[in-house]
Amino acid sequence: MIDLQDKNYGPAMEELEEYVGNPVFLQFCSEIKAAYQCKEKIEYSSCSWEKGWNVKFKKAGKSLCTIYPREGYFTVLVVVGTKEKPFVEELLPDCAAELRSIYRETREGNGQRWLMVDLEERGRLYDDVLRFIRIRRNS
């Protein structure tokens, strides 16, 4: 088993898939790559908030999302900035209750909300996160 905190060992995507141990992880990453014709970038974050290896997706220099591998699931970070906010808030009433709660409870700073969403299955929450990423890409 890999150690996501080991800065000296950069894991491959296959190792991250094995670490997560949930097929939804690969499915989510594949959907992002297919939808936006982008590749993942595995990076080490020294941020005290979320230290360790993560998977970033960017398109045209803009961050789409960052994925934090966990055992059995993964966490997706989606930033809702000032450009995305009106579109996200219009969509919010139709979103999963869990995502509405995360949005409400996430404090806004510098005009942004950094939403951390845990995913372990394909369902409404999964689809809503993809919708937020689409808004981010198109804004």
Side-chain angles (χ1 to χ4, degrees):
M1 187 67 74
I2 61 172
D3 177 4
L4 293 181
Q5 304 300 312
D6 183 356
K7 187 178 184 175
N8 299 312
Y9 180 76
M13 192 64 174
E14 295 76 23
E15 291 173 293
L16 294 176
E17 288 172 45
E18 187 178 319
Y19 177 84
V20 173
N22 184 329
V24 175
F25 173 75
L26 179 60
Q27 185 178 23
F28 188 86
C29 292
S30 296
E31 284 196 49
I32 297 291
K33 290 193 284 191
Y36 304 106
Q37 290 78 48
C38 61
K39 290 186 179 187
E40 74 275 355
K41 186 170 184 184
I42 300 171
E43 293 183 352
Y44 186 85
S45 173
S46 295
C47 173
S48 60
W49 186 42
E50 193 68 45
K51 192 174 185 177
W53 291 98
N54 59 53
V55 181
K56 293 186 183 203
F57 287 97
K58 293 181 181 180
K59 181 67 178 180
K62 185 174 196 170
S63 171
L64 298 175
C65 68
T66 302
I67 300 172
Y68 299 90
R70 317 280 193 213
E71 291 185 62
Y73 69 103
F74 55 100
T75 301
V76 181
L77 165 65
V78 180
V79 178
V80 177
T82 53
K83 290 180 186 175
E84 298 88 13
K85 185 177 179 178
F87 301 104
V88 164
E89 289 186 350
E90 182 180 324
L91 185 67
L92 212 51
D94 297 325
C95 291
E98 186 177 351
L99 188 56
R100 291 193 313 265
S101 177
I102 290 168
Y103 187 84
R104 268 194 321 271
E105 292 170 13
T106 302
R107 287 194 331 210
E108 195 170 306
N110 294 329
Q112 298 181 327
R113 289 180 200 243
W114 290 36
L115 307 179
M116 298 289 281
V117 184
D118 294 338
L119 293 177
E120 57 184 306
E121 62 186 22
R122 173 126 199 200
R124 188 170 178 194
L125 184 59
Y126 177 105
D127 292 337
D128 288 342
V129 169
L130 288 175
R131 290 163 70 189
F132 278 25
I133 292 168
R134 192 173 318 115
I135 289 170
R136 180 140 178 91
R137 172 63 182 118
N138 293 331
S139 63

